[in-house]
């Protein structure tokens, strides 16, 4: 911007914490109006002096004084300062114009630079000053177009803000509906899962000794037991027909879970008891709406000891049945 005694919008400071952009704009507009009035009054005086009777001869001294007070260069400088103040009032209050300059803003900067160069040239000719006047007119036209662009941008920003607010509200509603639907689906899946879990009943645990001829003999003495035969019934009116895996946990009198690789022993996650080791995985082919008997043997590679053996059966992570069998201590062990 050209060096001048006139204030510019970009260099004005806030008068007090209570001042507002509207107040600054009002003061700036008043100042611009006063400068314009003064400029027009000076030009009117010059024209009157030149056209008054005797103005071309006897009032030569007066015309010379007026020309000294307000030369063509000074007049153009005031016009330029007014244009700059008008430009500052646009760019200073709009963040959208503070970033990368548009093509129009670059054109305006070029006009300002050329006008400043002419007005700062002490040897500027009348032709140069005439060109400066023409450039100032073009500059005001460019500033007018910039004002139109700013007004359009403000309108577009208001529309985008309203649209974003509407979209945000719609997103919040959709998110709430999704959360509600997800919870409903989870609840339904949980209900179906629980409802399709088999129930066990009528559990029996029988210890047997196996003879060399393949026959079995029931015994209650721990040292003679080769296996425990577990039997129970499963049923469910909801679950569909198909394969189901049951997990059996056998806990010996010392509190250790019996492990046997031949029984596919491993670990599982239960709904209520956390992660647990299991003794045997028992596949069952279930028929909907029927009561099915399940029987399987439990062998312990470490042998059986006297005391209580606890049997627990799980399906879908839920415990569906349990039983206890006591083995006696024999005379010799």
């Amino acid at each position: 911007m050209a060096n001048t005694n006139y204030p510019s919008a970009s260099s004005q400071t806030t008068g007090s914490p209570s001042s507002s952009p509207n107040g600054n704009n009002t003061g700036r507009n008043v100042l611009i109006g006063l400068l314009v009035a003064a400029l027009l009054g000076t030009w009117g005086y010059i024209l009157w002096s030149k056209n008054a009777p005797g103005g071309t001869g006897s009032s030569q001294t007066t015309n010379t004084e007026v020309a000294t007070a307000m030369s063509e260069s000074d007049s153009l400088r005031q016009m330029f300062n007014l244009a700059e103040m008008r430009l500052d009032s646009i760019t200073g209050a709009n963040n959208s114009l503070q970033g990368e300059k548009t093509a129009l803003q670059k054109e305006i900067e070029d006009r300002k630079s050329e006008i400043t160069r002419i007005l700062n040239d002490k040897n500027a000719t009348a032709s140069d000053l005439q060109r400066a006047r023409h450039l100032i007119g073009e500059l005001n036209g460019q500033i007018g177009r910039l004002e139109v662009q700013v007004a359009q941008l403000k309108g577009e920003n208001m529309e985008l803000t309203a649209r974003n607010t509407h979209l945000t509200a719609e997103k919040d509603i959709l998110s709430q509906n999704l959360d509600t639907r997800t919870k409903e689906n989870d609840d339904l899946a949980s209900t179906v899962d629980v409802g399709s879990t088999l129930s066990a009943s009528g559990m029996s645990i029988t210890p047997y000794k196996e003879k060399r001829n393949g026959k079995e003999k029931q015994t209650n003495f721990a040292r003679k037991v080769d296996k425990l035969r577990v039997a129970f019934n499963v049923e469910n009116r909801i679950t569909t027909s198909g394969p189901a895996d049951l997990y059996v946990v056998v806990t010996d009198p010392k509190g250790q879970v019996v492990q046997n690789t031949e029984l596919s022993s491993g670990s599982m996650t239960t709904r209520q008891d956390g992660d647990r080791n299991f003794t045997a995985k028992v596949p069952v082919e279930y028929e909907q709406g029927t009561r099915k008997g399940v029987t399987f043997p439990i062998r312990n590679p470490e042998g059986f000891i006297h005391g209580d053996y606890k049997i627990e059966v799980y399906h879908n992570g839920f415990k569906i049945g349990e039983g206890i069998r006591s083995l006696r201590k024999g005379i010799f062990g």
Side-chain angles (χ1 to χ4, degrees):
M1 180 182 295
N3 294 327
T4 176
N5 292 327
Y6 296 96
S8 65
S10 60
S11 65
Q12 289 183 345
T13 58
T14 304
S16 67
S18 62
S19 63
S20 64
N22 291 334
N24 291 337
N25 291 335
T26 301
R28 188 183 295 109
N29 292 336
V30 171
L31 180 57
I32 294 174
L34 293 175
L35 291 175
V36 171
L39 183 59
L40 293 176
T42 302
W43 290 346
Y45 178 75
I46 293 173
L47 294 175
W48 176 82
S49 297
K50 288 183 176 181
N51 292 289
T56 57
S58 62
S59 59
Q60 182 177 0
T61 302
T62 303
N63 289 338
T64 302
E65 292 175 354
V66 172
T68 301
M70 179 61 69
S71 66
E72 176 71 7
S73 178
D74 292 335
S75 173
L76 292 176
R77 188 174 297 279
Q78 285 196 15
M79 293 173 62
F80 183 46
N81 287 339
L82 291 174
E84 284 192 312
M85 293 178 66
R86 181 184 172 195
L87 177 63
D88 288 345
S89 68
I90 301 173
T91 58
N94 292 276
N95 293 331
S96 60
L97 298 178
Q98 302 301 316
E100 185 177 353
K101 294 185 181 300
T102 64
L104 179 57
Q105 287 177 276
K106 292 178 181 178
E107 291 178 6
I108 290 175
E109 290 296 330
D110 292 341
R111 289 290 184 279
K112 287 175 57 180
S113 297
E114 190 172 358
I115 294 170
T116 300
R117 180 184 60 78
I118 295 174
L119 295 182
N120 288 341
D121 185 1
K122 295 181 180 180
N123 298 320
T125 64
S127 176
D128 292 335
L129 295 178
Q130 183 62 30
R131 173 163 175 74
R133 181 181 295 277
H134 176 72
L135 291 175
I136 292 173
E138 288 186 346
L139 176 63
N140 279 308
Q142 291 170 332
I143 294 174
R145 293 199 300 274
L146 184 61
E147 288 174 335
V148 172
Q149 289 184 1
V150 170
Q152 182 178 357
L153 287 174
K154 286 183 177 179
E156 292 175 353
N157 286 339
M158 291 178 63
E159 183 179 350
L160 287 175
T161 299
R163 186 177 302 173
N164 287 338
T165 301
H166 179 69
L167 290 176
T168 300
E170 286 186 342
K171 179 182 176 182
D172 291 341
I173 293 174
L174 289 175
S175 179
Q176 292 175 1
N177 291 340
L178 179 60
D179 291 342
T180 300
R181 183 60 57 85
T182 300
K183 184 178 183 304
E184 290 176 351
N185 289 340
D186 290 343
D187 292 342
L188 179 60
S190 177
T191 301
V192 172
D193 193 25
V194 173
S196 63
T197 301
L198 298 173
S199 62
S201 62
M203 180 176 293
S204 64
I205 307 168
T206 308
Y208 283 95
K209 177 178 177 58
E210 294 179 330
K211 295 183 178 182
R212 292 181 180 180
N213 58 7
K215 292 184 179 181
E216 299 176 346
K217 181 180 178 180
Q218 185 174 342
T219 178
N220 290 324
F221 294 105
R223 66 181 181 85
K224 294 183 177 182
V225 175
D226 295 314
K227 65 181 179 182
L228 298 176
R229 179 171 292 161
V230 180
F232 53 85
N233 297 318
V234 293
E235 61 181 325
N236 187 292
R237 295 180 179 275
I238 298 176
T239 188
T240 57
S241 300
D245 290 329
L246 304 180
Y247 295 87
V248 180
V249 180
V250 180
T251 307
D252 67 18
K254 295 181 180 180
Q256 301 296 318
V257 174
V258 175
Q259 297 283 284
N260 189 339
T261 56
E262 295 181 358
L263 300 176
S264 301
S265 297
S267 63
M268 63 177 174
T269 300
T270 68
R271 307 295 182 100
Q272 298 169 320
D273 304 323
D275 293 338
R276 294 199 63 185
N277 291 328
F278 63 86
T279 305
K281 178 179 178 181
V282 182
V284 175
E285 194 68 30
Y286 182 74
E287 295 180 7
Q288 185 178 22
T290 64
R291 176 177 295 181
K292 183 177 181 64
V294 180
T295 303
F296 56 92
I298 298 294
R299 300 179 186 274
N300 188 359
E302 304 297 329
F304 291 92
I305 61 176
H306 70 278
D308 294 337
Y309 281 82
K310 184 178 182 181
I311 313 296
E312 301 168 277
V313 182
Y314 286 83
H315 180 230
N316 281 347
F318 295 99
K319 184 190 292 187
I320 62 173
E322 66 178 36
I324 296 178
R325 180 71 187 196
S326 296
L327 299 181
R328 294 167 58 185
K329 183 178 182 180
I331 297 176
F332 301 103

